[in-house]
Every structure is written in C-alpha cells, then in structure tokens.
Amino acid sequence: MIKFLDLHKINLQFEQELKVAANRVIDSGWYVMGKELETFEQNYAEFCGTKFSLGVANGLDALRLIFKAYIELGIINRKDEVIVPANTYIASVLAITDNDLIPVFVDPNINTYNLDSSRIEEAITPKTKAILTVHLYGQNSINDQMLAICKKYDLKLVEDSAQSHGAIWKEKVMGSIGDAAGHSFYPGKNLGALGDAGAVTTNDETLSKTIEALRNYGSLNKYENIFKGLNSRLDEIQAAFLNVKLKYIQKDILERRRVANYYLQNIKNSAIIMPSVIEEKGHVWHLFVIRIKKRDELQTYLKNNGIQTLIHYPIPPNKQNAYKEYAHLSFPITERIHDEVLSLPLSPVMNVNEIEEVTEILNLFT
C-alpha cells in the first residue's frame, strides 16, 4: 500500500534530534511557556519575516485569537462580516462564528481553488470588516487586486496559513503579507508537530500583545487578567519538536516540489484536471489535488491498486449541519470542486518507485 502520508517515515528522519529535544524538555522541569517556546517564536518569526510570532494550541485557535483580539481592540465588532472562501475547511469558518462574526462566503477561482478576487467586491457591505484568505493546498492566495480592495474599503486581511508554510509571493513568505496570519502545525502539515500546535504571526505590536494575553487567560502578569481570555498555549515539548523540524522545512519543500513536478509532467490521463500553478515558489504542495468527474470510481480503483487517497473536502462548510442556516445558499464552483477533488499521495519521503507507480496506475484509469 502506498500511504497517502507516512508520518512515521517522515518523523523517522528526525528521530534522534526529536528524542534529544524531548529529553531536554523533560530534564528542564519546565513544560509550559518557557525557553523552548520563546526560541521557536523567534525562529518562526524570522522564517516568516514578521516582527512577532506567538505559539498557540492549534491552528483554529490561532485564527480565533486574531478575531478575538480585533474585537477587544474595537477594530471589529460582533455581528460584523468577514469574507471567506466558500470551499475552505470548516476551521476557517469556525474561527469567524466563534467570535459572533458573520461569514460571507465567496466562490473560489475554479483553477486555483483559492478565493476569487474578482468576486470579493460584490460581497462587501457596510458591515464587512475583514477578508480571511486561505492559502488552500499550499498555494498563495494573495494578489494585487485583493490588496487594493482591502485598502479601498479599509478591511483587515487575515491569512489562513495552515497549509502554506514557506510559500512566497513577491519575495514575502505567507503569513507576513496580511495584517495577521494563523498557522497550523498539526502533525500532517508541511511543518508538523507531534500533536496539536499553532501560531499567529503579525507585524502589529498592539495586536501581538493583545493575543499574547488572550492566549493565557487574558493575562500578561500572573493573576492579573485584562481580558476574558482562553487557555491556548503551545506546549514546550511541541515547541522543541518544531524547532527541530523547522531547520529542514526548505529541504522538505524542495522534495514536495520534486513529487509534484513529476505528477504534473507525467500524468497524462485526459479525464483528470491537474492543479494550476501560478508561480512555483508560491506553492509548497501541502496537497496535490486533482479533479475528475468520476471521482468516487477513481478513488475505489486506486484503493484496489494499493494507493491511498483522501478527499479534501467532501462537504462545503455551508452544507454542514453545523451551518444549516446557510444551507440554502448556492455556490456552484464550490459544489463542483467538492464533488470532483481527490488528493494524491505526496510527501517528502516518497521514493521514485512510488511516484512512478501512482502515475502509471492513474494513466491507465478509464
């Protein structure tokens, strides 16, 4: 079986360094909000090219805390609207609604699967205060038109960078272009911890200080609570693991591009719609997503031939029971995407034989 993602094999590359890191944390006797977190925050800010990086419990909390901070600062008010791509993973939407904000869904571009900038302006109302753009599957979603719209309407631009560690646009790394960005280090991400983990990056010092307090019960000084905060802190042991793996992220990006480029050049089945790449350095291939009308048949065929695939994502957020109040809305492009997408195996530890086998079997599908 060719696994969709072999996490054991991925982390085996760093086994000795991870064990040293774990032992260092155990021996320190300090397990929350310590030197490992401080070091990772400095390293990750430098990697992203931002002034500030704040480790939090997970990627969802990273986004939740950004909007919560803007509300505390009076920049966004409850019941304000946030534009979000209709085809994103539900976490993006949960971050909005958890803060009593209103998601305004916009269809993506059919080729890139990212938020279609040409559709944003028609969705803006006097209540619109932010755009949450998602770098879906690892490809940059920001362009000049989006930035111009944010400037014109005085909108905050929040990046959902959960899948795009290291992607670049105009020499800037994702997570450093918008007003703030939420990052996920879930184990299956390109930069994955060995458990849940996340971070916020920003160049806004006031926002950073607010989030620093909010993640820690609303407190900057022990037992002094200036906000009604959360408990969302990146554990020392996960920070230590991430410090190890961050050293190798650029190498991993190159390996992911190696696999993706082979697929792009050699999958020749005319029934398959291949991913569109705007710019090579703008895509870090968290996922390699194809589209095909006979998606379910293809997935079964691949499974029968020993190839594991996944669907990201089978149900749009507005069609989930959790958001049944939006079920009446129709987003034709989103619905088409969710009916046709299939994610192929792709990881930095795939060998040539595995890549060739996936390609060959795909080309034989009819």
Side-chain angles (χ1 to χ4, degrees):
M1 169 68 74
I2 297 176
K3 293 184 179 180
F4 176 76
L5 186 66
D6 192 338
L7 282 178
H8 178 261
K9 190 175 179 181
I10 287 172
N11 287 317
L12 200 60
Q13 303 172 99
F14 319 114
E15 180 180 14
Q16 293 307 313
E17 287 184 78
L18 292 172
K19 287 179 177 178
V20 168
N23 286 334
R24 186 171 66 245
V25 174
I26 294 167
D27 292 343
S28 75
W30 195 286
Y31 309 122
V32 179
M33 304 288 280
K35 291 181 180 179
E36 298 290 345
L37 174 60
E38 182 181 342
T39 300
F40 176 70
E41 288 176 335
Q42 293 171 351
N43 290 342
Y44 198 63
E46 182 178 350
F47 172 75
C48 291
T50 56
K51 293 179 181 177
F52 308 102
S53 169
L54 299 124
V56 298
N58 53 68
L60 170 57
D61 276 5
L63 294 172
R64 288 171 69 208
L65 285 162
I66 290 168
F67 289 115
K68 189 173 179 66
Y70 278 134
I71 290 170
E72 292 288 355
L73 292 169
I75 294 169
I76 296 177
N77 297 306
R78 299 188 187 282
K79 303 301 182 185
D80 281 342
E81 296 173 353
V82 179
I83 289 172
V84 63
N87 64 314
T88 187
Y89 181 55
I90 199 168
S92 311
V93 187
L94 288 169
I96 297 168
T97 59
D98 191 61
N99 282 289
D100 201 18
L101 300 170
I102 309 299
V104 176
F105 299 103
V106 172
D107 249 341
N109 180 292
I110 189 61
N111 297 313
T112 66
Y113 312 126
N114 280 328
L115 185 61
D116 189 339
S117 293
S118 68
R119 297 174 182 269
I120 293 175
E121 207 157 5
E122 63 191 37
I124 293 173
T125 75
K127 296 288 286 181
T128 307
K129 293 294 166 43
I131 296 172
L132 177 56
T133 189
V134 182
H135 307 309
L136 200 63
Y137 308 149
Q139 180 158 231
N140 162 50
S141 63
I142 294 174
N143 55 37
D144 289 326
Q145 185 179 12
M146 185 182 293
L147 294 179
I149 290 170
C150 288
K151 184 176 181 181
K152 179 179 177 180
Y153 294 94
D154 192 24
L155 305 179
K156 292 297 180 184
L157 180 59
V158 178
E159 299 178 61
D160 184 335
S161 296
Q163 302 182 4
S164 61
H165 315 107
I168 293 172
W169 182 66
K170 292 189 174 181
E171 307 309 317
K172 290 186 175 182
V173 177
M174 298 301 96
S176 70
I177 301 170
D179 295 284
H183 306 254
S184 170
F185 308 121
Y186 180 76
K189 303 297 186 184
N190 292 22
L191 178 60
L194 275 68
D196 274 320
V200 174
T201 53
T202 184
N203 289 310
D204 184 332
E205 184 173 7
T206 302
L207 183 71
S208 176
K209 271 294 178 188
T210 305
I211 292 172
E212 184 180 354
L214 285 170
R215 73 176 177 181
N216 187 38
Y217 300 98
S219 173
L220 290 173
N221 298 306
K222 196 167 186 178
Y223 302 129
E224 295 179 15
N225 302 81
I226 49 181
F227 304 114
K228 296 173 183 175
L230 307 174
N231 175 11
S232 182
R233 302 173 299 198
L234 177 57
D235 291 341
E236 284 288 279
I237 199 159
Q238 298 300 341
F241 291 152
L242 288 166
N243 275 319
V244 170
K245 296 183 73 174
L246 183 59
K247 294 186 296 183
Y248 302 98
I249 185 69
Q250 296 295 358
K251 174 181 175 292
D252 280 359
I253 289 171
L254 292 177
E255 290 300 313
R256 287 178 176 276
R257 287 182 180 145
R258 170 184 65 86
V259 180
N261 287 333
Y262 187 91
Y263 283 159
L264 289 169
Q265 292 165 17
N266 293 284
I267 295 175
K268 302 295 185 182
N269 192 319
S270 61
I272 294 173
I273 299 171
M274 299 291 282
S276 294
V277 182
I278 302 170
E279 188 178 9
E280 185 176 55
K281 62 184 178 181
H283 206 322
V284 292
W285 298 104
H286 173 57
L287 299 171
F288 191 99
V289 180
I290 61 172
R291 286 190 6 249
I292 185 169
K293 292 188 182 301
K294 297 191 289 184
R295 190 264 309 282
D296 295 343
E297 292 177 42
L298 176 58
Q299 186 173 39
T300 300
Y301 163 80
L302 290 171
K303 181 181 178 181
N304 291 339
N305 281 276
I307 297 170
Q308 184 184 35
T309 59
L310 294 178
I311 299 171
H312 296 86
Y313 305 97
I315 306 172
N318 75 298
K319 298 298 183 183
Q320 298 279 1
N321 187 61
Y323 289 109
K324 52 183 177 289
E325 65 268 36
Y326 300 109
H328 65 284
L329 299 176
S330 177
F331 301 100
I333 295 173
T334 290
E335 289 158 20
R336 179 179 173 187
I337 287 170
H338 284 252
D339 285 342
E340 296 180 354
V341 291
L342 187 67
S343 301
L344 302 183
L346 187 153
S347 84
V349 295
M350 283 186 75
N351 62 45
V352 173
N353 291 337
E354 290 172 324
I355 303 164
E356 290 178 348
E357 184 176 345
V358 172
T359 302
E360 181 181 354
I361 291 172
L362 274 170
N363 285 335
L364 292 173
F365 178 74
T366 57

